[in-house]
Amino acid sequence: MPTVSSWYSPRLETEVSLARWGHWGQPVLLFPTAGGDAEEIERMHLVGALSPLLDAGRIKLYSCDSVAGRALARKDGSPEHRCWLLKQFGEYVAHEAVPAIRADCGGEALEIVTAGASIGAFNAVSVLCRYPHLFRGAIGLSGTYELARLLGFGGNEDYHLTAPIRFLAGMPEGQALDTLRRRFVLLAHGRGRWEEPSQSWNMANALGSRGIPNRVEEWGEEHDHDWATWREMLPRQLDELL
């Protein structure tokens, strides 16, 4: 069973939860899929798949509610409101979830690894690119990195500021981009049902065009856009990044 903390987020204007598994090791923030809560990854047996890394003390695993993803899945509010939530979700991660993780790790200014599947992959890559000083790398599994179709329109300024596939091209030279060039992004996808390999390749091209180290790992046609695939992928990807 995880240890769960909850509080009211002024940035998201709702109650949020942060769950933790393990007691020591590299902190990993694993985002849920679109409508998932902080404990989704346990119900879908992803925590169990990571148990060798947890039991060996190599990772300390965290997950938070997918507030913006839930709004996308349910089509809550206007498209503009959903874009605002995407932007605010990153602010919540940087200014609320990360400090909570660091406090739980003894107050150390540790760099966190982010990971996620589908919309979770979008969040994992987005927060790394927006706040590279807080994170050391990202893993995106079967990622959906362009959300215009889910939003129902082409996006606005809030979305542009949130989606790395949009904002990286115009990211100015400077400290943030220099830091990002010292990070690593691992993108994996299958070629089975419901997968969109072009999403990962387009994201990789956006990263590579700015000199940000990354690699796409393509799995076979037997690997669908589904939890069975991600349970197999993620332990291998994390083992590489640790």
Side-chain angles (χ1 to χ4, degrees):
M1 293 292 292
T3 300
V4 181
S5 302
S6 299
W7 64 88
Y8 178 83
S9 168
R11 292 170 178 85
L12 293 171
E13 300 178 354
T14 190
E15 289 288 324
V16 293
S17 295
L18 182 72
R20 186 204 77 205
W21 297 262
H23 301 285
W24 54 84
Q26 167 67 53
V28 176
L29 177 57
L30 179 51
F31 292 98
T33 57
D37 61 12
E39 297 180 64
E40 177 192 56
I41 61 170
E42 182 169 70
R43 293 193 302 273
M44 303 310 295
H45 308 293
L46 194 51
V47 174
L50 295 171
S51 60
L53 295 174
L54 287 163
D55 294 345
R58 297 184 65 197
I59 64 170
K60 194 173 184 181
L61 186 63
Y62 298 85
S63 190
C64 58
D65 298 330
S66 183
V67 176
R70 186 178 305 142
L72 277 174
R74 296 176 179 175
K75 299 191 183 323
D76 292 341
S78 67
E80 291 78 13
H81 173 70
R82 297 194 288 273
C83 289
W84 176 82
L85 268 180
L86 282 168
K87 178 177 68 70
Q88 291 299 105
F89 185 72
E91 291 288 296
Y92 147 75
V93 170
H95 300 293
E96 298 179 48
V98 166
I101 290 170
R102 287 180 167 179
D104 188 62
C105 292
E108 297 180 62
L110 299 171
E111 292 175 347
I112 299 163
V113 171
T114 64
S118 194
I119 301 297
F122 174 96
N123 288 321
V125 177
S126 176
V127 297
L128 171 70
C129 292
R130 291 173 68 185
Y131 315 101
H133 62 292
L134 299 178
F135 304 101
R136 58 169 285 202
I139 299 171
L141 310 176
S142 305
T144 303
Y145 301 106
E146 175 56 84
L147 305 181
R149 185 176 61 192
L150 292 174
L151 288 166
F153 80 130
N156 58 11
E157 184 177 0
D158 283 341
Y159 177 60
H160 181 83
L161 293 171
T162 304
I165 207 162
R166 298 280 188 99
F167 70 71
L168 280 175
M171 193 173 186
E173 293 290 337
Q175 184 175 356
L177 187 55
D178 289 343
T179 301
L180 197 47
R181 286 169 174 156
R182 298 193 297 271
R183 305 307 187 227
F184 182 70
V185 181
L186 181 54
L187 307 170
H189 68 84
R191 290 189 290 113
R193 295 172 299 172
W194 316 299
E195 286 281 62
E196 291 186 69
S198 61
Q199 294 258 3
S200 295
W201 289 106
N202 290 342
M203 187 70 253
N205 288 335
L207 292 162
S209 70
R210 301 311 309 272
I212 301 161
N214 71 90
R215 189 178 86 241
V216 177
E217 193 170 285
E218 187 168 79
W219 291 44
E221 294 180 0
E222 70 279 14
H223 291 97
D224 300 328
H225 190 93
D226 198 31
W227 289 98
T229 292
W230 306 329
R231 287 192 291 267
E232 187 176 351
M233 283 180 172
L234 187 57
R236 298 189 192 185
Q237 318 299 347
L238 274 175
D239 185 62
E240 178 177 336
L241 256 64
L242 295 179

